[in-house]
Structures are given as C-alpha cells and as structure tokens.
Amino acid sequence: MLLTEQPLAKKWKNMWIRTITTLLMVGTFFAILASGHLFVILMVIAIQTLVYSEVIEIAQVPAREKNMRWYRTMSWYFLVAATYFLYGESIIYYFQEILLVDAFLLPFATHHRFISFTLYVIGFVFFVVNLQKGLYKRQLAQFGWMHMALLLIVFQCHFIVDNVLEGLIWLVLPASLVICNDIFAYVCGFFWGRTQLIQLSPKKTVEGFVGAWICTLVFGFLWASFLMRFDYMVCPVKNLSTSAWSAVSCEPKNPVFTAVPWELSQNWSSLLSKITGRHVTEVWIAPIQLHALVMACFASLIAPFGGFFASGVKRAFKIKDFGQSIPGHGGWTDRMDCQFLMGLFSYMYYQSFIKTHTASVGSVLATIVNNLSLGDQLELLERILTYFVNQGILDSSVLKNKQNKCLNNDFSLK
Amino acid sequence: MLLTEQPLAKKWKNMWIRTITTLLMVGTFFAILASGHLFVILMVIAIQTLVYSEVIEIAQVPAREKNMRWYRTMSWYFLVAATYFLYGESIIYYFQEILLVDAFLLPFATHHRFISFTLYVIGFVFFVVNLQKGLYKRQLAQFGWMHMALLLIVFQCHFIVDNVLEGLIWLVLPASLVICNDIFAYVCGFFWGRTQLIQLSPKKTVEGFVGAWICTLVFGFLWASFLMRFDYMVCPVKNLSTSAWSAVSCEPKNPVFTAVPWELSQNWSSLLSKITGRHVTEVWIAPIQLHALVMACFASLIAPFGGFFASGVKRAFKIKDFGQSIPGHGGWTDRMDCQFLMGLFSYMYYQSFIKTHTASVGSVLATIVNNLSLGDQLELLERILTYFVNQGILDSSVLKNKQNKCLNNDFSLK
C-alpha cells in the first residue's frame, strides 16, 4: 500500500502527530546534549535497553505460550553481562589513568575480561541446565535470537558511547544525518512518492529515497561546518562532568576541523564568481565537511537497510510496530533501527580515517627505555628506519649505514 | 538408556573402535604439534571450519526444503568475513613489527576493522535484499542461528590461535585436560557408571563425571610439570616457521614455569617422610602446576556443559551425531564441543592471571606508526639516536648524518 493510496485526512493527521513528536524528541535530545557527556551516555544506554527489551518481548509471546521457564530473566541477565563487558572496556580504555591508581577499582580493570567471561559462562550453564525436553528447538532458537539481539543492539550501541567519548560531534553528526534522511524521505515521499522501493517496507518510495539522499548531502555539508565551530562538540572527553556551560578546549585540535583553501579550476571559478558577484578563486573547506558527505551517503544508502531488516522482523512476527512508546512513530526500535548501524559505521570510519595521534613522544620514549631490552631497542630502531625508508621519508643509505653500526655494536657487546 | 543396559558385545566393540580412533587422533595431533606453530594454527582453522560446516548443515536441511535462496553461500561468506576479521586481529597484534614496515600490508593493518566492517555490511545488505515474502521468520531464525554459530565456534576458536601464539603449552595443556577428562569419564562410566547425570546426555553418569574429575586433577598436575621442561612448549612464538626441531629459547621465561620451594607443615612433612623414607621438609612446585589444577577443574566441571549444549542441539534437530567423520565418535562437533569453551577459558585465565606484561617491539612500533604524527615520529627518532649515542652504543656521526637527512626531507616535504 503506497502512501498516495491512504485517505488524505488520515495522512495529514499522521504527519501532524509525527511532526510534533519529532520536534519534541529533537528538543529533548539537544537538552540532554547540553547537559554533558555523562547524560548523553546514560541516554544511549537507556535507548539500548528499551530497544533490546522490545526485541526480546517479541519472542516472549510464543515463549509464554509454551510455558518456557526463565526466558525473560535470562535475556535480562545476558543484557546486563554484555553491558558490563562492553561499557567496562570503554571505561577502562578512556579512564585508565584514574582506574589504575584506585585500589578498589584496580582488580576490576585488570581482570575485566575474566569477570565478564565468568558472567557469560554462568548464563550459559544456566541455559543448558534449563533445557526442557520437547522444547529444545524453540529454546535454542530463542538463545540464537538473543545472541543476535545482543550483537545487533548492545554490541553496536556501545560503539556509540565510544564515539561520544571521542567528541560529541561523532554522535551528533551521524545521528542528525539519519534523522535528516528519515524526515526528507518522509517529506519527499509524501509529496512526490510514486514508485515502491522495496517489498519489505511498502511505505518507502524511490522518490523519497533519492530526494532524501540529496537533501542529506547538502545538510551534512552545512551542519558539519556549523558543529565544528564549538569546542564542546569537537573535543574528546577528559572529564565526564563537562557540560555545555563548562569551559572546554583542546589544542591542537584534530586537523579535520581546520578549514583549508581549495583552489578552483577556471570553470568553477568563473561560475562561482558569476553567482556571488565577486572574484572567487578558492573556497575554504574543512576536511570534516568532506567526511560528512561520505557519512551522508552511508546514512542515505546503507543505514536504511537497518530499517528494512527491522521491517523484516516485524513482518516475520506479524506486528505493525515494535511498540507504542512514541506516538506517530511506533516503538523505540522503529525509530532507532538505522541509528545503530550508522553509529557503528561512524566509529569504524572515525577510527580508521580521522582519529589522530594520541601518544606523546615522551611517553613512547619512556616505554622504549624502561620496558625494552637493549636488543629489542636496537631491533626497534632498525624497524623504524625501515618504516621511514619504505614511506619514502628517508634515503635507504641511512638504513645501510645504520646496519653497519649496529653490527659493529653487536660485536662489541659480545 | 544407561551404558549398562547396552548389549555387552556391542559395548566392547564400540570401545575398541573408539580407542583406535582416539589413539590415531592423539598421534596426528602430536605430529602436527611437532611440525610447528603454523601447522597447529592451520589445524585449528581447519577444525573450526569443519565444525562450523556441520552446524550450518544441520539447519540447511529445512532451508533446502523451503527452497531458501543463498543460505549456504551466505553462511560461508560470513565465515570467511569473521575469520578474516578475527585472525587478522591476532596476526596484526602478534606480528605488527613485520606488518607495519611492509608497504603493501600496512593499509590492511591500519584499516583492518574498517575493511572487516565493510565485509559484514555487504553480507548484511545482501541478506536483507534476499528476504523472501512468507519466509521471513525462517530466514531470520537462520540468520540468528548463523550468528550464534559464529559466536560460539569462530569467535571462541580464534582465542585458541592466540593461545598458540603465546606458547604451545596454552593449547596443549587445556586440550589434553579435556581429552583426559573425556577418556576417564568414558572409562569410569564404563566400569562403575550407574546413576544418570543429566537428561540431555543419557550416556553420561555421575560416577564417570566424578571419577574423571579426580583423574584429570592428577593428570593435569603431572602433565604440566612435564610440558614446562620444553622451551618449544613454553616460549611465545616469534617466528611462524619454528618447529620442534628448531632451537627455541626465550629468556627470561614467564616465572610460572619456575619451580619454587613450598615449606611443608609438621604433619605433612612427617607423612611424606614416612612414605618416601627420607626426611622431607619442602616440595618444589611450579606455579603452572597449580594453575593446571584450576584448569583441570574447569575442564571437568564446566567444559562438559559445552557438550551438553551440543547434545541439546542434536536432540532439537533429532539427529544422533553431527556427522560420521570420526568412526566411534561421530562428527567433529561431537568431539570438539568442549574444546572451544575450554580454549576460551584458557585464554581468559592466561591473559588475566598468568601473562606478564612486557612491551614488545611490535606494540611500541604500532604506537609510533598509529599514534604519532610524522613530525613527532622524526623527533622520536632523533631522541632514540641521541639516547643510543649518550649510552655509548652508537657513534655520534650517525646522529649528525641522520639530522641532515631529516632536515633535507623536511624541506622537500614543504
């Protein structure tokens, strides 16, 4: 059933409700954003829990029918265990300088994975002990379902927390892109939607899909250049009590936030000069704005498959929405289905292509001097020189020179 | 059906076949062990693949019935993607000092997670696109099943490879404990088995369970003290081409392999003196022998739940064995069901309680390549060279030579 076939009055009323709740949600989001990193992280955990409970609840109905023991208890147990493991990893990574000097917290930090593994094994043994004759297949299917929910929700979600700790912009930018894409897919589909996009989601149209992509590209480019002006957005978190009213700064900033001049070709230059009425030979663009374009493409072209997957789940269990928590939108899962995949993408993209240099020369040198044997130190020197030669930074004669010296020294050591 | 109720002739024939194949497998295992780390790792990957294919094949039967597209292709695709991701992580961690200086491999190392993520997303999108009306629920169930197989087999298995790279003993000791426990559970159950242990596995008896535990404790204590005498077993791998005939050494060794004297209390001392006929006041025990006792407890008390879980799966799909690959034993999954859980435990236990923290050339190099800017890298090189010159290890002419090259390059970069 395409949108155009709905009665017009209902269509408008629907849009009205949806607009109000969208605005309310966006407002709440920005309020939480301004309250500080801690509240943002708590929000992410809360949303993750709501989505997980909706997804587990879907499989709970047949579980209750069959009088299956402990299914809900076990699902919550594994949620707690997985959350403990994953968020613990993030906290240990980002706050080790605090944790490792605290006598009470130290064993939790150094044995974190063993504790998490023990929690998992307890749940696993409990599951096996509670296998009931005649229900094996169903219980195993639900165990599999729970694992998939843990992977696709809790595991993906914890990367969003890592994004927050790297700087709020890595949450806000991708989340905004998805929201923008959702809104414009709805708006473009509402006005021009004609051709059905995919059987799974009958309300999605090709016109909405393409229109939203174009709008998201433009929005991402502009929104990134706006967000990057705020240190509160850009700086990695040093202290969880920071809020929008704290004085935050981090120098030197990641160079992606610094606009650099791009020289224009003849044609573009004359075109832009005509439009603006001034002589334009270069434009200033920050790398983050180009990264935002890549993210916008993912938000428009790939992230919706998270939504299609959720639609498949709804169809499989013959439900319309995952819940009724958000008027006009359905449940939390209906609204967040694309956000998780987007968050994971942002994490991977950021870690792979954007993150810079967190170690200092001093700390690395201290490690080399204190924790490596003399033989290892000399081997490291070889490797560094080889690396520089391969990168074309040093001439290969240096390496040869070096090797001879080392050989001499090796002999003198013996 | 308890063992005692089987016809005696069949019982003996079964035991005979099982003994021969067990001996053959143990022999092959030791031959591979002696051939070197590379072959051990290939063996682990081969076993992982066999087990995964058996588990996927079980769910394949209903898939074929329902004419489900691409299920097998997709399962193998995700296996390859997961293997690439997980083993890549291990290889990067252990061999970064080689990878990071190789111009071709460097981008694969630094963008490994992003590449893996891309592989996963491709599979995910492919799955969503291939969702077929009327089969949603079944396809989702199999997607969940596949995720569980990936987690319980591939994910657990890759820790075994990490164990191998930390030293062969961390594979051999836990694997032997499980085999020993299996054999003595069978032997004790065969002779004294009366009381059924768990409904899921009717052939398992309480007498076998307890008897095997005691035998495994004794075996673990002795076997550990034997294995720790070989450098080939004990040393972390530096070079994948090492075999049992290579000259391997690593000094200083992890202190768990060094026997220390334990003073005996009055009672124990007189007891032991009576038994041995000599005056005994202390015993020499290496920490690894005590760790072996903990591992033996896990192998006897918890690891069997991996087997019970596999029994549950067999019952759910109404099959007797996972395959017929190993005469007298069934399929590979039937034999390996406890090994994976044991391998994961050994990894967690080793990392948490046994590993000694020393920096490696690879980890320092990774920090330098990934976390320092080019300017900082060059500054670090200066400092290292200065340090060596000051220590009288290198001639000061090296430093001068070095500086000129760098300066030249700095200019040419601008």
Side-chain angles (χ1 to χ4, degrees):
Chain A
M1 180 176 67
L2 292 182
L3 260 179
T4 44
E5 294 165 15
Q6 284 188 347
L8 208 67
K10 199 188 159 204
K11 209 173 139 183
W12 277 104
K13 195 193 158 203
N14 233 329
M15 196 184 187
W16 185 232
I17 295 176
R18 210 170 154 149
T19 308
I20 290 177
T21 45
T22 303
L23 288 176
L24 270 175
M25 280 198 295
V26 170
T28 314
F29 176 65
F30 278 100
I32 292 173
L33 209 58
S35 317
H37 296 83
L38 183 63
F39 294 93
V40 176
I41 292 173
L42 291 177
M43 176 191 72
V44 173
I45 295 178
I47 290 175
Q48 163 214 292
T49 309
L50 287 167
V51 171
Y52 181 80
S53 80
E54 283 178 358
V55 170
I56 288 300
E57 210 56 34
I58 286 177
Q60 167 69 9
V61 182
R64 207 184 304 123
E65 272 170 18
K66 290 262 176 182
N67 194 23
M68 213 170 295
R69 275 183 301 185
W70 300 114
Y71 171 65
R72 196 184 274 171
T73 315
M74 216 165 56
S75 308
W76 285 99
Y77 175 81
F78 276 101
L79 173 69
V80 171
T83 306
Y84 174 80
F85 167 58
L86 294 166
Y87 292 88
E89 289 277 310
S90 303
I91 289 169
I92 289 167
Y93 179 79
Y94 286 98
F95 299 102
Q96 43 193 352
E97 73 273 20
I98 299 167
L99 289 174
L100 296 180
V101 296
D102 187 297
F104 174 72
L105 293 175
L106 180 64
F108 287 97
T110 50
H111 299 311
H112 179 67
R113 288 185 185 178
F114 190 78
I115 296 169
S116 307
F117 170 72
T118 308
L119 289 176
Y120 183 83
V121 166
I122 290 170
F124 182 79
V125 168
F126 187 80
F127 170 76
V128 173
V129 168
N130 275 292
L131 278 172
Q132 281 167 281
K133 210 170 176 172
L135 293 180
Y136 296 144
K137 199 159 189 173
R138 198 168 267 275
Q139 286 180 304
L140 280 168
Q142 286 187 326
F143 202 58
W145 181 253
M146 196 190 67
H147 274 88
M148 200 175 68
L150 287 173
L151 261 179
L152 295 186
I153 298 165
V154 187
F155 183 68
Q156 286 196 22
C157 225
H158 105 279
F159 289 110
I160 298 178
V161 170
D162 284 2
N163 289 342
V164 170
L165 296 172
E166 291 287 347
L168 283 171
I169 193 171
W170 306 114
L171 166 77
V172 177
L173 181 60
S176 313
L177 290 173
V178 169
I179 295 170
C180 167
N181 189 67
D182 270 12
I183 291 174
F184 282 102
Y186 189 77
V187 170
C188 296
F190 186 84
F191 287 113
W192 303 291
R194 241 154 213 88
T195 331
Q196 186 176 315
L197 178 68
I198 188 167
Q199 205 187 9
L200 269 168
S201 282
K203 283 189 185 172
K204 301 230 162 69
T205 61
V206 174
E207 291 79 4
F209 194 75
V210 174
W213 183 24
I214 296 165
C215 296
T216 309
L217 281 172
V218 174
F219 170 79
F221 189 81
L222 301 174
W223 188 229
S225 76
F226 176 75
L227 287 175
M228 66 180 237
R229 285 159 217 272
F230 301 97
D231 280 355
Y232 180 59
M233 283 289 139
V234 161
C235 288
V237 61
K238 291 241 162 127
N239 180 339
L240 275 185
S241 61
T242 326
S243 80
W245 293 273
S246 319
V248 181
S249 81
C250 49
E251 292 299 338
K253 261 177 224 162
N254 189 321
V256 292
F257 299 119
T258 312
V260 288
W262 291 68
E263 208 144 316
L264 291 172
S265 73
Q266 199 68 46
N267 296 335
W268 281 102
S269 173
S270 57
L271 181 73
L272 277 183
S273 300
K274 254 181 219 159
I275 295 173
T276 57
R278 286 179 301 156
H279 185 58
V280 183
T281 58
E282 56 179 28
V283 285
W284 288 69
I285 297 175
I288 179 73
Q289 293 179 275
L290 304 179
H291 290 305
L293 293 181
V294 178
M295 288 186 172
C297 289
F298 190 90
S300 298
L301 305 180
I302 308 291
F305 281 89
F308 300 150
F309 182 81
S311 298
V313 173
K314 286 190 275 192
R315 257 146 237 288
F317 288 97
K318 298 194 174 61
I319 50 173
K320 204 186 153 290
D321 286 318
F322 281 93
Q324 284 88 40
S325 322
I326 321 172
H329 293 261
W332 283 97
T333 315
D334 299 280
R335 209 80 312 272
M336 293 300 153
D337 46 14
C338 312
Q339 290 286 7
F340 295 154
L341 197 57
M342 188 70 209
L344 180 52
F345 171 78
S346 310
Y347 174 84
M348 293 296 171
Y349 189 76
Y350 172 77
Q351 296 284 335
S352 224
F353 301 110
I354 303 179
K355 190 174 187 177
T356 48
H357 321 310
T358 44
S360 70
V361 173
S363 68
V364 176
L365 194 66
T367 311
I368 295 171
V369 172
N370 297 326
N371 301 340
L372 288 182
S373 65
L374 181 58
D376 281 353
Q377 287 174 358
L378 286 168
E379 193 192 325
L380 179 70
L381 182 55
E382 295 283 350
R383 302 271 183 186
I384 296 174
L385 290 170
T386 313
Y387 169 76
F388 278 136
V389 169
N390 286 346
Q391 296 280 307
I393 294 164
L394 291 181
D395 193 85
S396 60
S397 68
V398 174
L399 192 59
K400 216 172 159 192
N401 187 337
K402 196 68 269 335
Q403 270 171 332
N404 291 333
K405 300 276 174 188
C406 282
L407 276 174
N408 287 337
N409 278 283
D410 266 6
F411 278 112
S412 69
L413 280 174
K414 284 168 193 168
Chain B
M1 183 175 67
L2 291 182
L3 261 180
T4 44
E5 295 165 15
Q6 283 189 350
L8 209 66
K10 200 189 159 203
K11 211 174 138 182
W12 277 102
K13 196 194 156 204
N14 232 332
M15 198 185 186
W16 185 231
I17 295 176
R18 210 168 154 149
T19 308
I20 292 177
T21 45
T22 301
L23 288 175
L24 270 176
M25 279 199 294
V26 171
T28 315
F29 177 65
F30 278 100
I32 292 173
L33 210 56
S35 316
H37 296 83
L38 183 62
F39 294 93
V40 176
I41 291 173
L42 291 177
M43 178 192 72
V44 174
I45 295 179
I47 291 175
Q48 164 215 290
T49 309
L50 287 166
V51 170
Y52 181 81
S53 81
E54 282 178 359
V55 169
I56 288 301
E57 211 56 34
I58 286 178
Q60 168 69 10
V61 183
R64 208 183 304 122
E65 272 171 17
K66 289 263 176 183
N67 194 23
M68 214 170 292
R69 277 185 297 185
W70 299 115
Y71 171 66
R72 196 182 273 171
T73 315
M74 216 164 56
S75 307
W76 285 98
Y77 175 81
F78 276 101
L79 173 69
V80 171
T83 306
Y84 174 80
F85 167 58
L86 294 167
Y87 293 87
E89 290 277 312
S90 302
I91 289 169
I92 289 167
Y93 180 80
Y94 286 97
F95 299 101
Q96 39 198 352
E97 74 272 21
I98 299 166
L99 289 175
L100 296 180
V101 297
D102 188 295
F104 174 73
L105 293 174
L106 179 64
F108 286 97
T110 49
H111 298 311
H112 180 68
R113 289 187 184 176
F114 190 78
I115 296 169
S116 307
F117 171 72
T118 308
L119 289 177
Y120 182 82
V121 166
I122 290 169
F124 182 79
V125 168
F126 187 79
F127 170 76
V128 173
V129 168
N130 275 293
L131 278 171
Q132 281 167 278
K133 207 169 178 172
L135 294 179
Y136 295 144
K137 198 160 190 173
R138 198 167 266 276
Q139 286 180 304
L140 280 168
Q142 286 187 324
F143 202 58
W145 181 255
M146 197 190 66
H147 274 88
M148 200 175 68
L150 288 172
L151 261 179
L152 295 186
I153 300 165
V154 187
F155 183 69
Q156 285 195 22
C157 225
H158 105 279
F159 289 110
I160 298 178
V161 171
D162 284 3
N163 290 342
V164 170
L165 296 172
E166 291 287 347
L168 283 170
I169 193 170
W170 306 115
L171 167 78
V172 177
L173 182 60
S176 314
L177 291 173
V178 169
I179 294 170
C180 168
N181 188 69
D182 269 11
I183 291 174
F184 283 101
Y186 189 76
V187 170
C188 296
F190 185 83
F191 289 111
W192 303 292
R194 244 155 211 88
T195 332
Q196 185 176 315
L197 178 68
I198 188 169
Q199 206 189 7
L200 268 170
S201 281
K203 285 189 184 172
K204 300 231 160 71
T205 61
V206 175
E207 290 79 5
F209 194 75
V210 174
W213 181 24
I214 296 165
C215 296
T216 309
L217 281 173
V218 175
F219 170 79
F221 189 82
L222 299 174
W223 188 228
S225 76
F226 176 75
L227 287 175
M228 67 180 238
R229 285 159 217 273
F230 301 97
D231 280 355
Y232 180 58
M233 283 291 140
V234 160
C235 288
V237 61
K238 287 240 163 129
N239 181 338
L240 274 185
S241 61
T242 326
S243 80
W245 294 272
S246 318
V248 181
S249 81
C250 49
E251 293 297 337
K253 260 177 225 162
N254 190 319
V256 292
F257 300 119
T258 311
V260 289
W262 291 67
E263 208 143 318
L264 291 172
S265 73
Q266 199 69 46
N267 296 336
W268 280 103
S269 175
S270 56
L271 181 73
L272 275 182
S273 302
K274 253 180 222 160
I275 295 171
T276 57
R278 286 180 301 156
H279 185 58
V280 182
T281 57
E282 57 179 25
V283 286
W284 287 70
I285 296 175
I288 179 73
Q289 293 179 274
L290 305 179
H291 289 306
L293 293 181
V294 179
M295 287 186 173
C297 288
F298 191 90
S300 298
L301 306 180
I302 308 290
F305 281 90
F308 300 149
F309 182 80
S311 298
V313 172
K314 286 191 273 193
R315 259 145 235 289
F317 287 97
K318 298 192 173 62
I319 50 174
K320 203 185 153 289
D321 287 318
F322 281 95
Q324 284 88 40
S325 323
I326 320 173
H329 293 260
W332 284 98
T333 314
D334 299 280
R335 209 78 316 267
M336 294 300 153
D337 45 13
C338 312
Q339 290 286 6
F340 295 155
L341 197 55
M342 187 70 208
L344 180 53
F345 171 78
S346 311
Y347 175 84
M348 292 296 172
Y349 188 77
Y350 171 79
Q351 296 285 335
S352 225
F353 300 110
I354 302 179
K355 191 174 187 174
T356 48
H357 298 285
T358 48
S360 71
V361 173
S363 66
V364 175
L365 191 67
T367 311
I368 295 170
V369 172
N370 295 325
N371 301 338
L372 288 181
S373 65
L374 181 58
D376 281 354
Q377 288 173 0
L378 288 168
E379 191 193 325
L380 179 71
L381 181 55
E382 296 284 349
R383 299 250 198 140
I384 296 173
L385 290 170
T386 313
Y387 168 77
F388 279 137
V389 169
N390 289 344
Q391 297 278 309
I393 294 164
L394 291 181
D395 193 84
S396 61
S397 69
V398 174
L399 191 60
K400 217 171 159 194
N401 188 337
K402 191 77 271 333
Q403 270 174 331
N404 290 335
K405 300 271 174 191
C406 288
L407 275 174
N408 287 338
N409 278 284
D410 267 7
F411 277 114
S412 68
L413 281 173
K414 283 167 191 170

